Amino acid sequence: MKSVKSICKEGIFINIYIREDYEKMSEKAAEIIAKLVKEKPNCVLGLATGSTPIGTYKKLIQMHKDEGLDFSKVKTFNLDEYYGLGLDLDKPYAEDQSYARFMYEELFKGINVKPENTHIPNGRAKDSEAFCREYEAEIKKAGGVDLQVLGLGGDGHFAFNEPGSSLASRTRRIALTEQTLDDNYEAFYKDAGFSREEMPHFAITMGIGTILESKSLLMLVNGKKKAKITAKALEGPITSSVTASSIQLFSGEAYVVLDEEAASKLDRYDFYKHIEKMESKYL
Ligand code: GLP
């Protein structure tokens, strides 16, 4: 008879953890990242921006301070950056909406990662095509990404792979959809006093093909607003219209950590809950 573990591995393609709220979701995600950092101190982490991973990064900073979680040998590669933006430490945080600044403020300055080991697409590269090729080469040189953290865009994107992106796409420049502009304007730009027109309409993003070459994935989603698109990504057809559905093609270990609200429209909600209970009982 097959063990629960092998049923998990063969029967469902991913490990889905459903947690009661954002706090608990962040704890579980930080636990998965910390486990890797302890097992492989020189691991390569793929990192994401957005409001979703902020709680996870806070937990990692706490673990670094309280337990000495060591990032001194860790390398990081971020998924994306707004086209035209880069780190401007001389400006107040609100005025510098680059993802480089986000990473510095929300994670890097609180842990002991070496700045030279962190990589974020350069939104200001003069030759963005050449830059994108170099970024891919850097990832390869580092041995590939061990664990890629991913949020979920409101239009179903991973990184900035907007609907219609090839599921084999590589790092490149991309135009942002109206929905992404609206979402990110509301979440970040508005309070910082920018008009919607002023925000960047393009980005540099790792491709779906690039992301799927990672050794493992950690997808995080929270909130009611994302319930429908979460169900589409995890249980709907694999389609370039919802680029996060590409996770269903992933052949490595994929972890998905959701809060109850984001998980609320999953068809197999009860089954995922059952599997986790069985895992903790029998494995
Ligand atoms: C942006 C980022 C994505 C992120 C998404 C969701 O579009 N490029 O990587 O997953 O926002 O953001 P949030 O977590 O704020 O909902």
Side-chain angles (χ1 to χ4, degrees):
M1 205 174 99
K2 277 182 182 165
S3 72
V4 176
K5 181 123 189 152
S6 77
I7 293 169
C8 288
K9 290 274 178 312
E10 292 163 25
I12 22 176
F13 61 98
I14 30 186
N15 305 294
I16 298 190
Y17 302 98
I18 300 168
R19 292 293 177 269
E20 62 186 283
D21 55 21
Y22 179 74
E23 184 70 18
K24 293 268 179 324
M25 177 203 82
S26 304
E27 244 164 51
K28 180 68 189 172
E31 185 193 294
I32 292 169
I33 298 170
K35 186 168 178 277
L36 172 67
V37 171
K38 284 179 200 158
E39 279 170 11
K40 188 176 176 188
N42 64 345
C43 64
V44 179
L45 291 179
L47 298 175
T49 52
S51 40
T52 312
I54 292 178
T56 305
Y57 295 157
K58 278 203 170 78
K59 303 269 175 211
L60 291 175
I61 292 171
Q62 207 56 49
M63 287 175 177
H64 168 67
K65 294 206 167 111
D66 297 347
E67 304 155 28
L69 186 65
D70 182 18
F71 292 86
S72 62
K73 295 195 186 91
V74 170
K75 287 196 177 117
T76 70
F77 284 88
N78 262 77
L79 287 169
D80 47 13
E81 176 62 281
Y82 287 110
Y83 184 64
L85 299 194
L87 190 64
D88 269 325
L89 278 176
D90 48 325
K91 284 188 183 168
Y93 184 17
E95 284 173 32
D96 176 11
Q97 289 290 322
S98 68
Y99 280 169
R101 183 60 175 272
F102 174 99
M103 289 312 301
Y104 172 75
E105 299 287 346
E106 306 296 342
L107 181 64
F108 297 158
K109 77 175 187 192
I111 59 174
N112 64 335
V113 67
K114 292 192 175 125
E116 64 270 27
N117 285 344
T118 65
H119 306 80
I120 296 175
N122 180 3
R124 289 174 174 160
K126 283 212 179 76
D127 182 343
S128 55
E129 268 182 43
F131 173 80
C132 292
R133 279 195 300 273
E134 280 161 29
Y135 200 66
E136 294 261 347
E138 280 288 316
I139 296 173
K140 283 216 170 79
K141 210 171 98 191
V145 171
D146 288 300
L147 176 68
Q148 177 64 59
V149 179
L150 296 160
L152 176 66
D155 62 7
H157 66 224
F158 269 164
F160 269 132
N161 290 284
E162 298 288 38
S165 296
S166 158
L167 300 184
S169 52
R170 311 301 308 185
T171 304
R172 68 206 184 288
R173 188 173 64 192
I174 188 156
L176 304 180
T177 61
E178 290 298 322
Q179 183 176 347
T180 296
L181 292 171
D182 286 345
D183 289 349
N184 292 5
Y185 180 67
E186 285 299 321
F188 295 100
Y189 279 81
K190 196 175 172 187
D191 287 346
F194 288 87
S195 71
R196 192 176 173 286
E197 286 61 49
E198 278 172 313
M199 70 177 289
H201 284 45
F202 289 84
I204 305 280
T205 184
M206 271 191 208
I208 292 293
T210 320
I211 292 168
L212 295 183
E213 277 170 13
S214 310
K215 288 163 203 150
S216 58
L217 302 180
L218 170 58
M219 175 179 172
L220 309 178
V221 200
N222 71 290
K224 228 196 208 130
K225 255 178 79 181
K226 300 245 182 95
K228 236 176 161 173
I229 197 70
T230 300
K232 274 193 179 175
L234 298 177
E235 299 180 333
I238 299 168
T239 166
S240 64
S241 299
V242 179
T243 58
S245 65
S246 61
I247 195 169
Q248 298 177 48
L249 291 168
F250 188 63
S251 56
E253 189 98 29
Y255 305 93
V256 177
V257 189
L258 309 172
D259 74 350
E260 286 285 355
E261 289 189 345
S264 60
K265 289 204 163 23
L266 289 171
D267 276 346
R268 292 188 289 266
Y269 175 95
D270 292 337
F271 183 53
Y272 301 135
K273 282 277 202 186
H274 170 73
I275 288 283
E276 207 194 334
K277 229 186 262 162
M278 291 302 106
E279 270 190 314
S280 57
K281 195 165 170 193
Y282 296 114
L283 304 179

